[in-house]
Amino acid sequence: AQSVTQPDIHITVSEGASLELRCNYSYGATPYLFWYVQSPGQGLQLLLKYFSGDTLVQGIKGFEAEFKRSQSSFNLRKPSVHWSDAAEYFCAVGANQAGTALIFGKGTTLSVSS
Amino acid sequence: EAGVTQSPTHLIKTRGQQATLRCSPISGHTSVYWYQQALGLGLQFLLWYDEGEERNRGNFPPRFSGRQFPNYSSELNVNALELEDSALYLCASSSSGGLYEQYFGPGTRLTVT
């Protein structure tokens, strides 16, 4: 079955500390992986994507993610968290083809403490 | 460049009524996707429209339907509303060439009472 698992429902990080959000996937075809962020009452903003090539991808707002095929993981990282990073983060998997139905994880809520 | 837009922002309906949600894709994008984000159920794929045709649908009943217009904007209709249809409905668009990452709009919050 195709699925995305985000093991952490809620994470609290101190401002300035590093962050890692976990994502594991199960997908039959070559996976194309995404991280989206959603602020309260808002839509989803694409942070970064992995299609092929270098397994460490850089995104917006200082985020990066590393694709590890052997572990079926695509973890999101940021070296220093800002208070404005508090939001809900979604990992998603799909195929690089028109009409791919993205499969989303349940999301991880990030709180930032001062 | 304008992003994906959706209207209305909020919609309140009573059970049994019909709801119509609208979406305008990013200029140049021909594919429109609809997702439902319901409390406790997460984000689920609803429908995909491309070049005016419904190309794929998720595991939702036929009372969820829609269409895509010649300008690639799209409408989602939900008939015979049920309480569990209360959710945030997100529209996304993608281009038909190259990499198919989907860009999302702000959503329409549908409340069924």
Side-chain angles (χ1 to χ4, degrees):
Chain A
Q2 300 174 348
S3 65
V4 175
T5 301
Q6 293 180 247
D8 304 306
I9 297 172
H10 190 194
I11 284 181
T12 299
V13 175
S14 298
E15 190 168 17
S18 63
L19 169 72
E20 182 170 27
L21 301 182
R22 296 182 291 166
C23 172
N24 293 96
Y25 67 89
S26 173
Y27 199 69
T30 301
Y32 291 93
L33 295 151
F34 308 85
W35 275 99
Y36 286 88
V37 61
Q38 185 178 37
S39 298
Q42 303 296 312
L44 301 176
Q45 182 181 23
L46 180 63
L47 281 177
L48 48 76
K49 59 187 182 286
Y50 173 78
F51 289 145
S52 64
D54 193 346
T55 56
L56 185 63
V57 294
Q58 302 297 320
I60 62 171
K61 302 184 179 186
F63 285 94
E64 65 179 27
E66 186 172 12
F67 170 61
K68 292 185 177 180
R69 185 184 299 276
S70 62
Q71 298 177 18
S72 297
S73 69
F74 188 57
N75 294 348
L76 181 71
R77 300 195 294 248
K78 186 169 185 177
S80 178
V81 167
H82 188 261
W83 64 266
S84 60
D85 293 324
E88 190 160 19
Y89 291 79
F90 293 93
C91 181
V93 66
N96 184 22
Q97 61 185 42
T100 187
L102 291 178
I103 298 168
F104 286 86
K106 296 291 189 188
T108 297
T109 300
L110 173 65
S111 298
V112 180
S113 61
S114 56
Chain B
E1 179 185 280
V4 177
T5 59
Q6 293 186 244
S7 63
T9 303
H10 294 93
L11 191 56
I12 300 174
K13 295 285 186 179
T14 57
R15 195 169 43 186
Q17 286 188 316
Q18 178 192 21
T20 298
L21 290 66
R22 296 179 178 83
C23 171
S24 291
I26 291 171
S27 178
H29 286 187
T30 60
S31 280
V32 170
Y33 310 78
W34 288 94
Y35 290 83
Q36 182 196 66
Q37 187 177 25
L39 203 61
L41 296 177
L43 280 148
Q44 296 181 283
F45 169 73
L46 255 171
L47 290 160
W48 167 44
Y49 291 94
D50 185 63
E51 298 290 351
E53 299 285 332
E54 181 183 305
R55 303 293 185 179
N56 194 16
R57 66 183 295 128
N59 188 26
F60 283 84
R63 59 190 186 82
F64 287 84
S65 65
R67 52 181 171 167
Q68 187 178 33
F69 299 98
N71 66 354
Y72 303 112
S73 67
S74 176
E75 200 172 82
L76 174 69
N77 295 297
V78 188
N79 295 316
L81 284 165
E82 299 178 3
L83 296 178
E84 50 265 35
D85 296 334
S86 295
L88 181 66
Y89 289 84
L90 293 165
C91 172
S93 73
S94 74
S95 62
S96 60
L99 298 175
Y100 298 115
E101 63 263 36
Q102 298 174 21
Y103 294 91
F104 285 78
T108 292
R109 173 72 63 186
L110 173 63
T111 302
V112 183
T113 62

